[in-house]
Amino acid sequence: MSSSTQKEIKVGILGATGTVGQRFIQLLSTHPYFRLHALGASSRSAGQTYAAATKWKLATPIPEEVAGMVVSECDPSVEAFGECGVVFSGLDEKVGEIEDAFRRANLVVFSNAKNYRRDSLVPLIVPTVNPSHLSVVRAQQASLSLSKGYLVTNANCSTTCIVVPLRALELAFGPLKTVMVTTLQAISGAGYPGVSSLDILDNVVPYIGGEEEKIEWETNKILGGVTDGDDGFDLHAAGPGPINVSAHCNRVPVIDGHTACVSVAFQSGTKPSVEEVKKVLKGYKAEVVELGCPSAPKESIVLHEAQDRPQPRLDKDLYAGAAVHVGRVRECNVLDIKFVCMLDNVRLGAATSSVINAEYAVVKGFIQ
Ligand SMILES: NC(=O)c1ccc[n+]([C@@H]2O[C@H](COP(=O)([O-])OP(=O)(O)OC[C@H]3O[C@@H](n4cnc5c(N)ncnc54)[C@H](OP(=O)(O)O)[C@@H]3O)[C@@H](O)[C@H]2O)c1
């Protein structure tokens, strides 16, 4: 079924007033078949119109049809949420039990929080890498005796940035052995109000709590496979063992757009040439693009040849922030190959990934 013939599906947003929630609203207000129907946030916001409750930070205005909608508590018994075919969550990790309550109320939840990413029956999906992991939701439903509801997470934003080029390289040159990554992460990644201006202006903060561990662990679940019977995940089934990932994470004074400097070694011990690597990155085709998911970017990886690209300010908006940008591909004299990658941390790094994951679920019959 094409997106023009797909019937409309009502959707709700949890954490609608936050940084990720605002991107959800912007993306979904022009979506071909998802229709904004319910908005939820904390008790501080509940009962107010969306325009009054949110500190809107995007350059486009609040969509007219959303400004007057009344924000409710994040409670699955709210009638409007019960009518939704999909609930997107931009909720803080501190209130992870809310997402579980929505799932147990038989609602389909696409989450951005870290809480369930390591759950053995919850898919951790980067849409341009491993959407087929969605199949495990049937085992999740069986384990909780749910006929319709399930929960899917997307990855930490920096993990999303690196796994797209890593998947392309692994498919072409075989399993990865070692990945060394140093990130330069935007302040919007910390939500609103986030890092104080006195801490971040004219500065680099060489610590983001929990971030390095997320990159080191999530990479293996995403690049791994699902078990026979679709009832769990192999932590990196492509190789004889998990990939050794080592991360350094830094907060830098950029508003949107996380950059990562990555060095990679392959298990084969054979170094591909820089030209071979560039060809593979440029030619990478993601299933969600081939399937015509409406929010998927035309190119999952945009390869830059200019020596000083990618740059967050210049590159993050291409394809509505849904691509990973890769540049500075060169030989590594310690590992095999190195490059720089960048993504919009609030779009592909959060809201856009959830929306494409849900579009894939619609195409594959996981959402009615
Ligand atoms: N920002 C990014 O780049 C990014 C990227 C990937 C993943 N994430 C993840 O996405 C999630 C949201 O991040 P964010 O940056 O959007 O955070 P944020 O700007 O702080 O927004 C948090 C949202 O959660 C709501 N909320 C807070 N406490 C609540 C409660 N007790 N009950 C119901 N709602 C509550 C807030 O509502 P009120 O306005 O009413 O307080 C707000 O809508 C986090 O788990 C984060 O780790 C963020």
Side-chain angles (χ1 to χ4, degrees), residues 13-22 24 40-46 48 50 53-55 71-75 89-95 97-99 111-115 117 154-158 160 186-194 211 214 251 255-256 258 344-351:
I13 304 178
L14 306 175
T17 50
T19 306
V20 174
Q22 292 182 18
F24 272 130
S42 77
S43 51
R44 297 178 289 275
S45 306
Q48 301 182 59
Y50 186 74
T54 192
K55 291 190 171 68
V71 177
S72 62
E73 301 259 5
C74 291
D75 183 336
S89 174
L91 279 178
D92 206 82
E93 67 194 47
K94 293 186 199 100
V95 288
E97 70 284 355
I98 295 176
E99 294 177 345
S111 160
N112 280 279
K114 71 168 191 185
N115 307 61
R117 289 180 189 155
N154 38 280
N156 161 269
C157 33
S158 294
T160 301
I187 48 181
S188 59
Y192 186 81
E211 198 79 357
K214 288 180 199 166
R251 187 75 71 196
I255 294 177
D256 287 318
H258 288 355
D344 184 308
N345 52 294
V346 191
R347 286 186 278 184
L348 188 66

Side-chain angles (χ1 to χ4, degrees), residues 176-233:
L176 308 172
K177 184 176 170 199
T178 304
V179 175
M180 302 283 296
V181 53
T182 300
T183 68
L184 302 99
Q185 299 187 208
I187 48 181
S188 59
Y192 186 81
V195 192
S196 142
S197 55
L198 271 182
D199 287 330
I200 196 65
L201 289 176
D202 185 33
N203 208 7
V204 170
V205 180
Y207 174 71
I208 305 174
E211 198 79 357
E212 291 162 355
E213 294 79 359
K214 288 180 199 166
I215 296 172
E216 290 166 1
W217 194 89
E218 292 177 18
T219 298
N220 278 290
K221 181 166 177 181
I222 295 162
L223 293 179
V226 299
T227 50
D228 291 342
D230 295 329
D231 56 0
F233 303 93

